[in-house]
């Protein structure tokens, strides 16, 4: 399986791109940095996980991607409450990060069957 053909990777890339484009509106540089770092980490770790040779290593990096999606969700939630993010954008990102997390959990569960 090629990571760049995976729907979850493509969705994570789009989420990251949206976060980077939107981040120019965010004046709190610490928040902006954390938000974009976690967003970038999701597709990056998916790619690294798929490219790993062993199933155990693959699951580890997919787990990192899942954790980054949780981190991104938390930052969006806080950003929404703090007024850093538009509510409609935040709601869309919250939903997308939850769906990415669920897909990654399913992929990891399937891969664990082969260990």
């Amino acid at each position: 399986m090629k990571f760049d053909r995976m729907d979850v990777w493509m969705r994570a890339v789009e989420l990251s791109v949206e976060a980077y484009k939107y981040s120019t509106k965010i004046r709190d540089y610490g928040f902006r940095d954390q938000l974009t770092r976690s967003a970038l980490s999701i597709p990056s770790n998916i790619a690294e996980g798929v490219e790993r040779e062993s199933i155990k290593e693959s699951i580890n990096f997919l787990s990192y991607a899942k954790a980054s999606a949780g981190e991104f969700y938390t930052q969006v939630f806080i950003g929404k409450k703090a007024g850093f993010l538009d509510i409609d954008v935040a709601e869309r990102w919250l939903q997308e990060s939850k769906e990415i997390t669920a897909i990654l959990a399913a992929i990891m569960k399937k891969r664990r069957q082969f260990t």
Side-chain angles (χ1 to χ4, degrees):
M1 173 182 344
K2 300 284 186 189
F3 70 86
D4 59 348
R5 294 195 178 134
M6 295 174 71
D7 181 61
V8 69
W9 179 82
M10 290 181 205
R11 289 173 68 173
V13 166
E14 287 304 314
L15 186 61
S16 183
V17 169
E18 280 187 41
Y20 267 93
K21 286 182 177 180
Y22 188 92
S23 72
T24 61
K25 300 176 184 180
I26 301 170
R27 295 190 178 185
D28 184 295
Y29 297 115
F31 177 78
R32 180 171 69 189
D33 185 54
Q34 282 297 116
L35 182 75
T36 55
R37 283 176 185 261
S38 63
L40 182 62
S41 184
I42 303 166
S44 299
N45 280 307
I46 293 169
E48 191 162 358
V50 172
E51 291 296 320
R52 289 288 170 161
E53 296 294 323
S54 77
I55 292 172
K56 183 179 176 184
E57 285 183 316
S58 175
I59 291 169
N60 280 340
F61 278 91
L62 293 173
S63 176
Y64 300 151
K66 185 175 172 282
S68 292
E71 181 182 4
F72 180 79
Y73 181 95
T74 300
Q75 291 159 358
V76 171
F77 190 85
I78 291 167
K80 178 180 137 185
K81 287 202 165 277
F84 296 152
L85 303 173
D86 294 333
I87 292 175
D88 60 327
V89 170
E91 289 298 324
R92 189 175 70 249
W93 289 356
L94 290 170
Q95 184 61 38
E96 185 66 0
S97 61
K98 281 169 60 173
E99 290 177 20
I100 288 169
T101 297
I103 295 167
L104 290 171
I107 292 169
M108 291 178 346
K109 182 178 180 181
K110 185 164 181 125
R111 288 189 179 202
R112 282 188 183 102
Q113 294 172 350
F114 298 105
T115 58

